[in-house]
Structures are given as C-alpha cells and as structure tokens.
C-alpha cells in the first residue's frame, strides 16, 4: 500500500505519516512535506526515486510523470490497467493527501504578475484531480480534519474497507478545493469586471443555527481573497448570531458608517426604523429611539462612536437583540452584559466588498456596491424656491438613509432625525402615506427623500398636506413637469439628484 503526501497545510501531517507507516503503508513525497516527515523520523521516499528524474524547470515539473499518474489513475477492477502498471514496473498509489496553499493569502492584486504566475501550482492540482477522478480506488484527502477518520477506516481493514459514501465525499471536497483555487487565480488574472464566466470562490465562515427561519439549514460564506467584515467582528454574548442578526447588523453598520458626526442607527428586518445624528452619541441614541419606539423593540442598534456608560444605561432600559459599535468602555459593557440575551459586536469600519451578490434561487445578481456616484454639485434645484440651510442639512441626511430603505423607499427627516420611514410598498404614494402616518405631527416642517422618481404628482400633494417643506428625489419621470408644478403650487423646494437607489 502506497500513499503520496504533499501538503501546504502541514498540521497533523507528521501524525498521519507515523500512523500510516505503523499500518504498513509506504510513503512518497516531495519538497517541504518530505523534509518535515524526515525531521520527525518518518520514513519517506522522494518522488524522484520513482520517476528517475530530478525536479525540472526550476521545480515546475516534479510529479508530472506516468510513474505517478498511472499509479493513481489505474482502475483496480480493470485487469489491463494493472497489467500495464506491472509492465512498466509501477505500483498503485491508493491514498493521495494533497492540499494547496490559499492563493489569496500569497497573492494580492498588487503582486507583480511574474511573481504571481510562479505561485500557480500545477503538479499539486493534477495529483488531486487524478485521485478524485479515481475515488473508487484512491482516497483523495485535502482536509486535515479528515485524517483521523481516514486512519480509523484504514485501521479497520485497509483501503478496501473505506465505504463508498466517504470516498465520494472526499472526492467532492477535493474538487471544491481545486475549484476554489482556480477561481482565486482567475480573479487575479481577470480584467473584465463581468465576464461570461465568473467563478466566485466562497469559503465557509461558520455554520448557523438556521437560515432565515428555524427550519432552514444554513451556513455563512465569505468571498475568498477579500477581507470578511464578519470575520473581523468580535462578538460578546451567550446566544449565537443568526443569519437575520448578521443581515441586520451589516445593514445597520454600513449605514451608521456613512455619517461623520456621532450617529445611531436602529434596524429592524434589514430596514432602518430610527436614525439620528447629534453632538454626542448618548443624545443621538435617544433621538434615534424616539424616531420610532414601537418598531425599535427587539431591533439592532449601531453606533459610529464608542459606547459610554450613560449611553449603556439608556440602552439597558429597552429591549434590543444586538448592539454594534467600534468599542465600548468597561463599565458600559458590564451594564449591558447583565442582559443575558443581548449580543455585543465590536467592529472595525465598514469596507465595501468588490462585489455584492444577491440570488433569486436559480440566478444570481453580481453588482458593485450601491454608493452615491453623482456629487452634490451636480444636483439640480428644479423649483423656484431653494432649500434653506436647515433643509439642505436634512435633505442630505435623508438622502444618506434612503438607499437602505426597502423600495419604494421614503424617508422623512427633521433636525438630523428620522421622523417617519415608509418602505416595501407596491406604490410610492402608499410609501409616502406610511412615512407620514408614522411621523404624525412631526411631519410638519420635515423634509422628504425618495429613492426613485415620483411617477405622479399625488405623492407631492399628500406630502404637502402633511406639511413637508422640501423633497429630494432622483427625477427622471415622464411626468416630472407635473410633479414640479405640484411642488411649486405647495411652496415645496425640490431637488433632483439624477441617481436612483432601489433596494429590493
């Protein structure tokens, strides 16, 4: 029985080699793996002894030889395959332990092309692909966590005792390892942002208790090669994060990071329900909570400043599931940790990923992150009356928030505080009505932001009746003229940004 061991991730490889030798296996290896095994007294033969060739082309060719690949690819139930092996003096290889270095750890977009190309492995993937193809007779092993159960099966009765289901599982894992590796190389070489084929290497971050609902099994994956936001979170709390927690926390953290002044965002079901800025984080929290206390119940709160003790005491008076902040002082953490079900997340500043991936189940949308592109200088005041200084501040504030509201999205704001948010409605006038209903009397004197244009003037008429004084929207409707006329008639200042921000 012969095994070929050649691994980048060397954890457990010495113990594996020792136990294989104890079970009567002959070990073959190359380079660093052979050196590690010898340093620990594990007998191993160099591949060059079998091939009769030294490493060629500066190490580019080591294992690409029939003595290796015929030994791996031979079908043990085909007598002619075994006869050919014997004819050339080859013996079957029945276990191939190979894993490849994570290309994204060694290579970045800044790595010179010549250096990156030399880091593309050819022999390792070829060994692994051959073993995985012939998994009925050869065990392809890529994951060190599988060593123990493989050894248990081999100790029970040799390679023939390993059940088919496990062999197939190992082959699937090997091909996934290869696909991820190739996708990382393709990502480095790719120059077209949206090619016909876009392999996205996804690496599991963690298993989840469930997905969107308790009956749905789920796990979280990150785009390999790019910093995962969630992997950089430090979570404190006794209850594990769910997918919905992660989704809400990400939405809240992205939005709160868009404000320069102290800001607080409260999110419920991926949508903001209360947002405020203020001179201190304690006041910002009080105003964000006051924006919609009913919806805030059981929500997620994000702070763009460290949480101090007074703010923690105010937080402790209400029921929240999760708090996200850059940091928290010791006394404040002690105050909040008295709530056993509350989770705290300490997060570094949000960094947009290169791609945003959304799926309908059988197709995926891959797009760039939704960041405003058109500068404020390009915006156009389309009414006779221009916003005053206070209205401009609130229009900017509301326009920052509205991309995070489910479409049709409408935000009412006043004095750096949301007073009414309407989203997820099938028509825009109902979204306006919902936002006004939530605002109540606070709508009077507020400004309004809409994520897309108004198809009819009815929304403007409803807003005017509620006392809205200024509106910001993309413009672009065939009835823009009617919409502007309705705003003029009501004395509402209206600004066109020329940029839509749908969030479905």
């Amino acid at each position: 029985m012969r095994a070929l061991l050649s691994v980048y991730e060397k954890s457990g490889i010495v113990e594996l080699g020792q136990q294989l030798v104890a079970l009567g296996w002959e070990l073959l290896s190359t380079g660093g793996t052979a050196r590690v095994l010898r340093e620990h007294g594990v007998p191993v033969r160099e591949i060059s002894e079998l091939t009769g060739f030294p490493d060629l082309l500066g190490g580019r060719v080591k294992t690409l030889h029939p003595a290796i690949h015929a030994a791996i690819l031979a079908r043990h139930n085909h007598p002619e395959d075994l006869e050919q092996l014997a004819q050339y003096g080859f013996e079957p290889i029945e276990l191939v332990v190979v894993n490849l270095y994570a290309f994204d750890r060694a290579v970045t977009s800044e790595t010179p092309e010549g250096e990156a190309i030399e880091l593309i492995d050819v022999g390792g993937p070829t060994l692994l692909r051959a073993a995985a193809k012939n998994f009925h007779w050869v065990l392809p092993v890529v994951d060190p966590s599988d060593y123990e159960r493989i050894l248990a099966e081999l100790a029970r009765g040799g390679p023939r005792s390993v059940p088919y289901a496990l062999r197939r599982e190992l082959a699937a894992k090997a091909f996934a390892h290869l696909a991820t590796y190739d996708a990382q190389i393709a990502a480095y070489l790719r120059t077209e942002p949206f090619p016909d084929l876009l392999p996205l290497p996804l690496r599991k971050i963690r298993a989840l208790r469930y997905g969107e609902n308790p009956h749905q099994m789920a796990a979280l994956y990150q785009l390999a090669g790019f910093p995962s936001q969630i992997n950089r979170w430090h979570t404190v709390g006794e209850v594990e994060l769910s997918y919905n927690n992660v989704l809400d926390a990400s939405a809240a953290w992205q939005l709160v990071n868009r404000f320069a002044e102290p800001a607080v965002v409260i999110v419920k079901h991926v949508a903001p329900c209360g947002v405020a800025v203020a001179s201190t984080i304690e006041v910002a929290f009080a105003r964000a909570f006051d924006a919609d206390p009913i919806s805030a119940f059981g929500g997620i709160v994000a702070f763009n400043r460290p949480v101090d003790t007074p703010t923690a005491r105010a937080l402790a008076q209400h029921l929240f599931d999760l708090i996200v902040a850059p940091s928290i002082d010791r006394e404040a953490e002690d105050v909040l940790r008295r709530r056993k079900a509350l989770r705290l997340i300490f997060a570094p500043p949000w960094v947009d990923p290169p791609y945003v991936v959304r799926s309908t189940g059988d197709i995926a949308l891959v797009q760039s992150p939704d960041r405003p592109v058109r500068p404020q200088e390009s915006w156009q005041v389309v009414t006779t009356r221009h916003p005053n200084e206070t209205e401009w501040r609130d229009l900017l504030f509301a326009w920052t928030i509205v991309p995070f509201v489910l479409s049709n999205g409408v935000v009412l704001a006043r004095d750096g505080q949301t007073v009414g948010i309407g989203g997820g409605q099938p028509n825009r006038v109902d979204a306006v009505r919902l936002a006004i209903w939530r605002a109540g009397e606070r709508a009077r004197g507020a400004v309004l932001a809409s994520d897309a244009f108004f198809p009819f003037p009815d929304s403007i008429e409803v807003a005017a009746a509620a006392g809205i004084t200024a509106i910001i929207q993309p413009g672009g409707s065939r009835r823009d003229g009617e919409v502007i006329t309705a705003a003029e008639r009501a004395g509402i200042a209206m600004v066109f940004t020329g940029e839509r921000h749908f969030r479905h």
Side-chain angles (χ1 to χ4, degrees):
M1 300 178 295
R2 295 197 304 173
L4 193 157
L5 280 57
S6 180
V7 294
Y8 168 76
E9 174 52 63
K10 294 182 173 56
S11 60
I13 195 66
V14 171
E15 293 79 6
L16 175 67
Q18 290 169 336
Q19 294 189 56
L20 286 173
V21 170
L23 291 172
W25 286 74
E26 179 187 14
L27 305 186
L28 312 171
S29 191
T30 62
T33 305
R35 184 170 58 254
V36 169
L37 291 171
R38 286 200 185 95
E39 287 172 355
H40 289 82
V42 181
V44 58
R45 290 182 67 190
E46 288 279 355
I47 292 293
S48 57
E49 294 181 40
L50 274 70
T51 64
F53 285 91
D55 294 353
L56 300 176
L57 307 180
R60 282 189 165 200
V61 178
K62 298 177 183 176
T63 59
L64 299 174
H65 191 280
I68 303 301
H69 287 281
I72 294 172
L73 286 165
R75 295 159 292 186
H76 296 196
N77 61 342
H78 284 223
E80 60 273 23
D81 284 9
L82 299 179
E83 288 170 6
Q84 281 193 335
L85 288 186
Q87 178 184 350
Y88 291 100
F90 304 155
E91 296 179 37
I93 294 174
E94 297 175 84
L95 172 64
V96 173
V97 182
V98 173
N99 57 60
L100 313 170
Y101 60 80
F103 191 80
D104 59 291
R105 295 179 194 168
V107 176
T108 71
S109 59
E110 306 303 318
T111 304
E113 183 180 284
E115 181 181 333
I117 287 174
E118 290 308 314
L119 290 170
I120 297 174
D121 194 350
V122 175
T126 308
L127 289 171
L128 194 53
R129 180 174 292 276
K133 174 177 179 172
N134 204 27
F135 72 90
H136 288 90
W137 308 104
V138 181
L139 298 173
V141 182
V142 299
D143 188 349
S145 68
D146 288 325
Y147 293 172
E148 192 171 323
R149 61 175 177 158
I150 294 299
L151 285 167
E153 293 292 344
L154 295 177
R156 188 173 293 117
R160 299 292 185 274
S161 69
V162 179
Y164 169 81
L166 177 54
R167 288 176 174 273
R168 183 164 176 151
E169 176 191 335
L170 294 171
K173 188 177 285 192
F175 280 118
H177 190 68
L178 290 166
T180 299
Y181 182 74
D182 287 342
Q184 291 168 350
I185 297 170
Y188 171 79
L189 295 172
R190 186 166 53 240
T191 56
E192 184 183 352
F194 299 103
D196 290 341
L197 294 175
L198 181 63
L200 295 177
L202 300 176
R203 181 175 288 118
K204 188 162 79 172
I205 300 174
R206 68 182 72 162
L208 293 173
R209 287 180 294 153
Y210 54 83
E212 290 179 283
N213 298 289
H215 65 277
Q216 294 176 273
M217 298 172 61
L220 288 181
Y221 289 80
Q222 75 172 82
L223 192 61
F226 299 97
S228 165
Q229 309 292 322
I230 297 165
N231 266 356
R232 299 191 300 157
W233 290 356
H234 173 60
T235 306
V236 176
E238 297 181 3
V239 181
E240 184 183 346
L241 295 179
S242 68
Y243 168 73
N244 296 339
N245 291 154
V246 171
L247 207 59
D248 287 346
S250 295
W253 190 236
Q254 287 181 67
L255 176 52
V256 84
N257 272 259
R258 295 202 178 181
F259 295 102
E261 61 268 66
V264 174
V265 173
I266 303 175
V267 162
K268 193 76 170 290
H269 300 303
V270 202
C273 59
V275 183
V277 294
S279 58
T280 69
I281 205 70
E282 181 183 5
V283 175
F285 167 69
R287 301 185 76 226
F289 180 80
D290 182 61
D292 189 349
I294 294 174
S295 297
F297 177 84
I300 287 176
V301 191
F303 299 81
N304 69 352
R305 296 289 193 278
V307 176
D308 54 25
T309 302
T311 306
R313 291 192 180 118
L315 275 164
Q317 296 177 29
H318 307 288
L319 183 62
F320 294 109
D321 285 346
L322 192 62
I323 292 166
V324 192
S327 62
I328 186 170
D329 69 39
R330 178 57 62 86
E331 185 179 350
E333 184 174 345
D334 291 340
V335 169
L336 293 173
R337 290 186 70 175
R338 293 170 194 159
R339 287 262 323 281
K340 299 297 183 184
L342 180 66
R343 277 74 50 84
L344 308 176
I345 293 176
F346 307 129
W350 179 267
V351 177
D352 284 332
Y355 295 112
V356 175
V357 183
R358 304 187 67 182
S359 172
T360 65
D362 59 344
I363 63 170
L365 168 70
V366 180
Q367 62 183 349
S368 58
D370 183 13
R371 280 278 183 175
V373 174
R374 293 177 65 89
Q376 185 181 345
E377 293 75 25
S378 70
W379 296 355
Q380 182 183 7
V381 179
V382 293
T383 50
T384 304
R385 187 174 86 76
H386 283 229
N388 61 37
E389 185 178 346
T390 300
E391 287 170 335
W392 267 121
R393 283 198 302 268
D394 284 334
L395 288 170
L396 287 167
F397 173 77
W399 188 245
T400 301
I401 298 164
V402 79
F404 291 83
V405 179
L406 295 178
S407 295
N408 291 304
V410 169
V411 173
L412 305 188
R414 186 173 182 179
D415 298 328
Q417 176 192 36
T418 57
V419 295
I421 297 176
Q425 303 303 305
N427 65 75
R428 194 156 298 277
V429 69
D430 276 351
V432 173
R433 290 190 181 108
L434 177 58
I436 289 170
W437 173 78
R438 285 193 166 130
E441 287 302 313
R442 295 181 299 177
R444 191 159 301 280
V447 306
L448 181 153
S450 173
D451 63 356
F453 64 64
F454 293 100
F456 301 98
D458 51 1
S459 293
I460 311 304
E461 293 160 359
V462 170
I468 299 299
T469 65
I471 293 175
I472 188 168
Q473 58 132 323
S477 168
R478 288 185 299 171
R479 295 183 177 85
D480 273 348
E482 297 175 40
V483 170
I484 294 168
T485 298
E488 290 277 23
R489 190 164 50 242
I492 293 174
M494 181 170 286
V495 178
F496 281 8
T497 66
E499 186 171 88
R500 190 183 76 184
H501 288 284
F502 270 163
R503 186 178 186 217
H504 287 304

